[in-house]
Amino acid sequence: MAGHSKWANTKHRKAAVDAKRGKIFSRLSKDITMAAKAGGGDPDANAKLRTLLNKARAANMPADNIDRAVKKGTGELPGVVYEEFVYEGYAPNGVAVVVEVTTDNKNRAASEIRSTFTKRGGNLAGANAVAFMFNRCGQFLIAKDQTDEEKLMDVALEAGAEDIKVEDEGFEVLAPITEYDSVSQALSDAGIEVASSELAYLAETLTPIDDAAAAKSIMALIDALDDLDDVQNVFHNADFADGLLDDEE
């Protein structure tokens, strides 16, 4: 979720996702399988996998599910072949949307995403239609009780992070994609627990939204996309005015 406060939007998304625990387990399982396939099944040597395993345990994902997901990625267990795709489109009020998909059936995923955009007042667009409005980078959210700003700057910047933002709720660390693993490893080595970690599309060009009805229609599309089984992440460039999402949380 993008907007003027990543933390606020993350809390909204977490409230929605936590209500559907089966979906978050499925999402984590796919992520773990893909991470193990790409970087191996040893979390000590695979920073992305280690982060995902920590996230899975924090979500109380059963250990057997985690183990199966890793082994499917390493080939120790048979599993479906997943592919990753990115779709772009527009929500109501011209809000740009980027949808990350991990699926074993591209045709099904594309059909469901197109239908969801259409039914919710948006439209699916072609490749690079809105991606230029976003910065693809590594993003880490860290609660303030985990560290202080000086220590975080020393650890993260030394590991290759390019920016650290301080908000009321915590810290946001941004890093180039090429430095994602090294920053993740450095934070782990320093004992700094990460609340959220992902390769994100962060909006550089924002669309201000100050109308409650517009906010509701935009979030209806975002949430409907997020509910789809094949969808892993949804990013957008809506900048909601303070208080507009309070009823949604």
Side-chain angles (χ1 to χ4, degrees):
M1 306 289 290
H4 70 281
S5 173
K6 168 65 181 181
W7 276 92
N9 288 318
T10 295
K11 286 188 291 185
H12 164 77
R13 185 172 186 274
K14 185 178 187 300
V17 172
D18 282 353
K20 295 163 274 189
R21 192 159 294 276
K23 167 73 187 219
I24 197 170
F25 287 171
S26 173
R27 178 174 287 165
L28 283 166
S29 180
K30 287 181 182 179
D31 280 342
I32 290 169
T33 295
M34 296 298 287
K37 181 179 180 181
D42 179 7
D44 290 333
N46 185 338
K48 185 175 182 179
L49 177 62
R50 183 173 61 254
T51 298
L52 288 168
L53 295 183
N54 290 338
K55 186 182 296 186
R57 295 183 187 110
N60 295 315
M61 185 173 175
D64 286 348
N65 293 29
I66 296 174
D67 187 54
R68 284 197 300 272
V70 173
K71 288 182 176 178
K72 286 178 182 178
T74 59
E76 296 172 72
L77 287 177
V80 298
V81 177
Y82 291 121
E83 295 181 279
E84 295 178 306
F85 301 97
V86 175
Y87 294 91
E88 302 173 40
Y90 294 94
N93 288 63
V95 168
V97 180
V98 175
V99 184
E100 289 186 321
V101 167
T102 301
T103 183
D104 60 344
N105 188 324
K106 181 183 180 182
N107 290 334
R108 178 191 67 220
S111 176
E112 289 181 346
I113 289 170
R114 182 180 300 278
S115 175
T116 300
F117 267 102
T118 300
K119 289 179 180 178
R120 298 288 181 172
N123 62 282
L124 191 63
N128 299 316
V130 303
F132 69 91
M133 302 181 193
F134 296 81
N135 175 32
R136 178 72 162 152
C137 64
Q139 181 191 55
F140 305 84
L141 298 183
I142 300 163
K144 284 192 172 179
D145 62 3
Q146 286 298 313
T147 185
D148 58 64
E149 184 177 359
E150 184 176 355
K151 177 182 178 181
L152 182 60
M153 290 185 67
D154 287 343
V155 172
L157 295 178
E158 178 67 23
E162 60 185 2
D163 192 17
I164 297 174
K165 299 179 180 180
V166 183
E167 297 188 24
D168 291 341
E169 300 91 339
F171 303 101
E172 179 183 13
V173 178
L174 303 179
I177 293 178
T178 54
E179 305 301 327
Y180 176 83
D181 286 345
S182 63
V183 173
S184 179
Q185 180 72 56
L187 293 172
S188 177
D189 291 346
I192 300 174
E193 184 177 341
V194 176
S196 174
S197 168
E198 62 186 343
L199 293 175
Y201 285 87
L202 301 186
E204 295 186 320
T205 303
L206 296 174
T207 299
I209 303 295
D210 56 13
D211 178 76
K216 183 176 181 180
S217 64
I218 293 165
M219 289 312 305
L221 170 58
I222 301 301
D223 288 341
L225 288 168
D226 201 51
D227 283 343
L228 297 177
D229 288 341
D230 291 322
V231 170
Q232 294 295 94
N233 290 295
V234 183
F235 303 96
H236 63 82
N237 76 337
D239 187 9
F240 296 107
D242 290 342
L244 279 187
L245 295 183
D246 288 351
D247 292 339
E248 301 289 333
E249 292 177 359

